[in-house]
Structures are given as structure tokens and as C-alpha cells.
């Protein structure tokens, strides 16, 4: 059993780009954490004990307290069941699962087993997000617009799963904006209309235009594009009833209010996520908010499907 007096020993399932770029350096930078091993049927990381399966990893390292699951979402539910059954605290990379039903099932299993679960939304830990939440809380807001546009060929090279069923397409990065949206707004967000542009050779959208509202009638517009060239855009624009204008840029690292930069910091989201995960384990609690995934599910449920040109990487 893990006690707060020792380092939390962590194993990784999935050793792809997100694990290498974010999870591994963030775990190693935290003195309260210890990265023990990782498993993947096809990848290895220099300096990290590697195994083909979770079973092999846990057999060799039964001391592991927690596991971060960094696989594509389509297989995450089945893996999470095994991790929780083994009694390990569980860190789910975003999105937490391929469907809302799977995510809720994972949460129920973790609660029944008594392990901590984190459905991680890394963008909520961007440096300017909390300041935006406070700004909104003090004002009447008249509109919100999300513009989230990036080049899939640059950021997701070779990741064919992202356009397969359950891969979410442009919602894979777009859900980051929805995680911020649901963190900064006090009211529930409801999807009203969505245009889903799906390449004829894919099963998930490459572009989306979506209209939403809160229970109190606040209009929210979101525009997502996976074919953006040139400047990459991860921004949220908010206007108050008095005409004040706020802009959150670069995924939450830069904040402008009425054209003046108020916050501009480097991204360090995963460091915050792992500190949060450790606090959950120490307190015997979980953080399993699925609101961003529910918005994507609703968009896919009522969205109009529009045939887009074939996508070729």
C-alpha cells in the first residue's frame, strides 16, 4: 500500500510521443515520484526498463503503485480494467476513453476497488486558465468563441488511429479547448449544432464548426481545423456584457485583456497534472470529470456529417 512518506512509484502503458514528450520528463522532474518502468509491444525508451505487456511489467516490478495509461483511447477501457483490478492508482491520458459509457465504467471500477483515478485534462493546468475563470466569475459574459486550428501532419505524424472510429479526429486536440471551457464556466455547456467535415476515407472529422450554449443562454461558438498551415491557433475569445474583451492564446499560456498581455508563461501542464495526481493518491480521492468528453459525444450524436476530400498524410 502506498504511503505519503515514500515516493509514488509509477509505470507507463504506452511509450509513444505523448509519453516521451510529456509524461516521462514530468515524472522524473518531481522528487516525490519515481518512474519505474514502461510497457509497449513496439516501443522502448532509453534508460527506462521496458516490457511488452502490463503483466510482464508488474511481474517484474510489483512495487509499482500507480500506472499512467498513454495509449490511444480506443483500447483504454480494457487496459484500465486490468490496471484497476491489479489495485493500481490510475492516470488516464486525455480523452479518458473512446466513449462516455467506457469512461463512466472506469470510474465505477476505480471507486469499487478503492484506487484513485485521474481523468487528466492537461489544458486545465495551463498557467492562465485560473485567471480566466476568476475574470468570468466577476462579470456578466455575453459571448465565447473558440478557435482551435492546427496541422495534423505536424503534430500527429503517422497516428492513423486518430482518424479511425473512436479516434475523435480534430476533436482530439479540440477537446483540450472544451476542458478549459468547462473549467472556466460555472454552468453546464450544451451542444446545439455541429457540422462535422469527415474525409471520405476516414471515420472521424477533420474540421468542425459547432454552436453551444450554457443553461443560462450564453452563446458559444467553436471552430476546429486539422488542416491549418502557417500560424497554429489555440485561442478562446470572451466578451463581457460591458464590452470588455479577453483572449486566451496558445492553449492557455498567454492571456490578453482589452489588448494588453497580462500573463505569458511557458507551458508546464503535465508537471501540474502529476502534482495533482499525487495529491489525489495521498488523499484517497479521484478526479473523474467527463464533461469535455460528453460535449464531444453530443456533437457526434447530433452533428451533420459533411463529406470532405480524401485525407492523405
Amino acid at each position: 500500500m502506498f504511503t505519503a512518506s515514500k515516493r509514488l512509484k509509477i509505470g507507463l502503458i504506452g511509450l509513444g510521443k505523448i509519453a516521451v514528450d510529456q509524461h516521462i520528463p514530468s515524472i522524473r522532474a518531481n522528487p516525490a515520484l519515481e518512474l519505474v518502468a514502461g510497457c509497449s509491444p513496439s516501443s522502448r525508451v532509453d534508460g527506462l526498463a521496458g516490457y511488452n505487456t502490463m503483466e510482464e511489467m508488474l511481474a517484474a516490478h510489483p512495487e509499482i503503485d500507480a500506472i499512467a495509461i498513454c495509449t490511444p483511447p480506443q483500447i483504454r477501457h480494457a487496459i484500465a480494467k486490468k490496471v484497476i483490478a491489479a489495485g493500481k492508482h490510475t492516470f488516464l491520458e486525455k480523452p479518458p476513453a473512446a466513449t462516455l459509457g467506457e469512461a463512466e465504467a472506469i470510474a465505477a471500477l476505480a471507486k469499487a476497488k478503492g484506487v484513485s483515478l485521474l481523468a487528466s485534462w492537461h489544458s486545465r493546468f495551463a498557467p492562465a486558465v485560473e485567471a480566466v475563470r476568476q475574470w468570468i466569475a466577476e462579470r456578466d459574459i455575453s459571448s465565447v468563441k473558440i478557435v482551435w486550428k492546427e496541422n495534423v501532419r505536424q503534430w500527429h505524424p503517422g497516428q492513423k488511429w486518430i482518424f479511425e472510429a473512436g479516434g475523435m479526429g480534430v476533436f482530439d486536440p479540440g477537446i483540450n479547448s472544451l476542458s478549459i471551457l468547462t473549467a472556466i464556466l460555472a454552468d453546464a455547456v450544451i451542444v446545439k449544432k455541429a457540422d462535422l467535415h469527415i474525409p471520405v476515407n476516414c471515420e472521424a472529422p477533420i474540421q468542425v464548426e459547432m454552436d453551444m450554449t450554457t443553461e443560462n443562454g450564453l452563446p458559444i461558438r467553436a471552430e476546429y481545423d486539422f488542416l491549418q498551415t502557417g500560424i497554429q491557433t489555440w485561442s478562446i475569445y470572451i466578451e463581457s456584457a460591458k464590452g470588455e474583451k479577453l483572449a486566451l492564446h496558445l492553449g492557455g499560456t498567454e492571456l490578453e485583456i482589452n489588448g494588453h498581455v497580462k500573463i505569458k508563461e511557458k507551458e508546464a501542464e503535465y508537471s501540474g497534472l502529476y502534482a495533482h495526481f499525487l495529491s489525489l493518491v495521498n488523499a484517497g480521492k479521484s478526479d473523474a470529470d467527463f464533461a469535455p468528453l460528453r460535449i464531444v459525444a453530443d456533437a457526434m450524436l447530433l452533428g451533420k456529417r459533411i463529406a470532405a476530400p480524401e485525407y492523405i498524410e
Side-chain angles (χ1 to χ4, degrees):
M1 178 179 292
F2 174 74
T3 60
S5 62
K6 69 173 186 176
R7 292 199 293 174
L8 183 69
K9 299 180 185 297
I10 299 177
L12 297 178
I13 298 180
L15 297 173
K17 181 175 173 58
I18 195 66
V20 172
D21 291 352
Q22 298 290 353
H23 290 260
I24 292 174
S26 296
I27 296 169
R28 286 177 169 168
N30 190 325
L33 306 177
E34 180 182 346
L35 180 58
V36 176
C39 63
S40 167
S42 58
S43 301
R44 292 292 183 269
V45 174
D46 290 342
L48 179 66
Y51 302 89
N52 289 328
T53 67
M54 182 194 82
E55 289 80 7
E56 292 176 8
M57 180 175 70
L58 291 182
H61 301 279
E63 73 275 16
I64 287 175
D65 304 301
I67 290 179
I69 304 174
C70 310
T71 66
Q74 293 97 324
I75 59 175
R76 204 164 290 156
H77 175 235
I79 293 172
K81 287 175 65 176
K82 293 181 180 180
V83 171
I84 293 168
K88 308 302 180 182
H89 303 295
T90 305
F91 182 123
L92 299 173
E93 177 55 63
K94 66 88 190 170
T99 70
L100 189 58
E102 287 184 350
E104 291 175 341
I106 292 170
L109 289 170
K111 183 177 180 180
K113 189 68 175 179
V115 300
S116 293
L117 174 70
L118 173 61
S120 71
W121 303 109
H122 62 82
S123 290
R124 289 181 174 178
F125 289 81
V129 170
E130 176 57 22
V132 175
R133 189 195 65 77
Q134 293 178 8
W135 190 88
I136 290 174
E138 297 169 355
R139 291 165 175 81
D140 291 328
I141 304 302
S142 59
S143 68
V144 177
K145 183 176 182 180
I146 297 169
V147 181
W148 222 258
K149 300 183 178 184
E150 66 179 57
N151 186 347
V152 63
R153 296 180 175 92
Q154 175 183 346
W155 298 100
H156 303 275
Q159 295 181 9
K160 294 182 179 179
W161 61 264
I162 210 164
F163 283 118
E164 295 173 355
M168 297 193 184
V170 74
F171 276 126
D172 180 76
I175 203 169
N176 294 332
S177 71
L178 298 174
S179 72
I180 295 174
L181 183 72
T182 51
I184 61 178
L185 297 179
D187 299 326
V189 176
I190 300 171
V191 180
K192 293 297 184 181
K193 180 178 182 292
D195 288 339
L196 312 173
H197 302 264
I198 303 174
V200 294
N201 63 331
C202 299
E203 296 178 354
I206 200 164
Q207 293 174 303
V208 173
E209 298 87 39
M210 183 163 62
D211 292 314
M212 299 169 281
T213 184
T214 65
E215 287 280 28
N216 288 329
L218 174 65
I220 304 166
R221 171 75 173 179
E223 297 176 358
Y224 302 115
D225 189 351
F226 237 168
L227 297 174
Q228 178 83 342
T229 57
I231 297 175
Q232 308 287 280
T233 305
W234 303 284
S235 296
I236 299 177
Y237 302 92
I238 302 170
E239 187 166 345
S240 76
K242 293 182 178 180
E244 300 164 292
K245 295 184 179 180
L246 178 149
L248 185 67
H249 295 305
L250 298 176
T253 60
E254 184 175 315
L255 172 62
E256 288 184 9
I257 297 177
N258 297 322
H260 300 286
V261 176
K262 299 297 184 180
I263 296 175
K264 188 173 185 179
E265 298 183 14
K266 293 182 178 180
E267 177 270 321
E269 299 167 359
Y270 278 81
S271 297
L273 266 179
Y274 271 100
H276 180 49
F277 183 50
L278 178 61
S279 70
L280 292 172
V281 173
N282 286 337
K285 296 181 179 180
S286 292
D287 180 357
D289 175 23
F290 303 133
L293 181 60
R294 191 264 304 161
I295 293 172
V296 172
D298 287 351
M300 300 292 275
L301 184 65
L302 60 75
K304 177 181 179 182
R305 285 158 171 74
I306 302 169
E310 182 178 5
Y311 172 72
I312 301 174
E313 184 176 348

